[in-house]
Amino acid sequence: MSLLFKGRPQGASDARIGTVQTIMAFFISHLRQALGSLGELWRQPAASIMTVGVLGLSITLPSTLYIMVKNTEKISAGWEQASEISLFLKESTSEASAQQLLTRLNTWPEIDTVTFIPADDALKEFQHLSGLGDAIAYLESNPLPDVVLVAPVEKHATPQAAQMLLDKLKQQREVDIGKLDIEWLERLYAVLDIIRDLVTLIGGLLFIAVVLIIGNTIRLNILNKRDEIMVMKLVGATDAFIHRPFLYTGFWYGLLGGLIAWVAVILILWWMDSSIQAFAALYQKDFAITGLSGSALFTMLGLSVLLGLVGSLISVQRHVREIEPK
Amino acid sequence: MIKFEQVSKTYPGGQRALSKVNFHIEPGEMAFLTGHSGAGKSTLLKLISIMERPTVGRVLINGHDLNSISRRQIAYIRRDIGMIFQSHQLLMDKTVFDNVALPLVIEGYTHKETTKRVHAALEMVGLRDKARNLPIMLSGGEQQRVGIARAVVNKPPLLLADEPTGNLDPKLSMEIVRLFEDFNQAGVSVFIATHDLGLIARMKYRTLTLKNGQMITDGLTDANGEGWS
């Protein structure tokens, strides 16, 4: 309805067409603008590819790092419960007192199994496995201590509980050194935490960069269309109407960039697969790398589209307003 | 239709473009606004289309005070005013059809309705067969008529023209003015700014004259104007 002239029909809503047709016209107009924006990208392939490429690669880096962290977590998750405590007994400990210790430990409710490895057995095993062979025979005395391997029951196998058990075991007078096999796992987790923070940080910085790049690209588009925007304002276009094609451009940048990132991640994983297999073989683990799941893919595409939209939104809000007919 | 009440406009920097302008143009009237270059004609038209805001005073269209129109509402005001410019303001990379259709596309008309109205508007200005051409392929007079078709395609009750005959020879100028007369006879209020005195002299329409930002005659008290030569 006209603001100045009561009763003067204005626009589709007053042009004596039905609600359904009005809604249809709205969607057709949107579709036309969306396709128009895509067509414009198509007509300037060099500039579009560069913008889309920057966006795609900026999303590829954090996505790949994210997959690495996820996979490392997956591998290590299988090892967490395998914690085992090694107790190295004092050299002065006699066989009899070692046996006493074993009997005592067997009564502890936290402990599942206790295995005693006498120093002699340990030496034989070392001789066998190390390949030093006869060289060891020249040793005057056995340098290895007796070892007791303690496997906690499942309830006490978590890192914290196992640590408490270790502290208790260390207080036994026969024990010289106690070592929890889970310590390295805790360090790994600490490192993973740092890497995860880094992924977030790098991702955040890259996302800000993407928003700025898209914003600047859209700003140049707006300046290129200065005359057209001016004419549109003269014949009564609202800001929202003028914004729309630019927002669609941002949307397409985001979507195409996201697809590029997706392809890039797949290629990187494929390329790294063989080295990861070799690495996993060293640990005698059968391990298949997990790629992007369906939901992660949609998150990535969604994020990319969001970045494109935010960049263009910031740009149109600032720059379309500045263009006024003179 | 258009009413100015004690309107003054001072641009940032102190340049005084209009001072205490009063006049009233009735609905359905056709009037000319004249004066030297720099007398304030363009500023006066810009106040009507809200490209500028008055420093002091009120501008009213159909009784509505434009001072109370917010920035967001300006677009809707411009849909009620058909505007024609000396420089045409056509989109050179779009066809004549697309140029004329622009106001309708903005207002969300259906494709069918748009086509119908654009062809009717082009018919009125005699450019029906040029719909698929680019403006660059047309002569100056034809380009101006495309601008006019665009201004009237959504049937606004008010037409504003700023030097519409600026670059045209007398014969073409007359054709353009005849077009405005046709619209005026259909009930549209028409307000034309021009410094083409020869053109005005051949007409018997009301003429308002600006000099150094002041309205020296509003064309009602003295039909011949007071002569500003």
Side-chain angles (χ1 to χ4, degrees), chain A residues 133 228 316:
Chain A
E228 188 173 340
V316 293

Side-chain angles (χ1 to χ4, degrees), chain A residues 32-50:
Chain A
R32 195 183 295 160
Q33 282 182 316
L35 292 178
S37 297
L38 188 62
E40 228 150 77
L41 293 188
W42 187 255
R43 280 191 290 278
Q44 310 169 346
S48 308
I49 285 171
M50 276 195 270

Side-chain angles (χ1 to χ4, degrees), chain A residues 2 4 8 10-12 236, chain B residues 62 71 78-80 107-108 154:
Chain A
S2 163
L4 298 178
R8 178 185 173 236
Q10 199 179 51
Chain B
N62 200 28
R71 195 187 169 279
R78 292 195 180 138
R79 294 178 187 184
D80 289 329
E107 289 185 40
N154 62 346

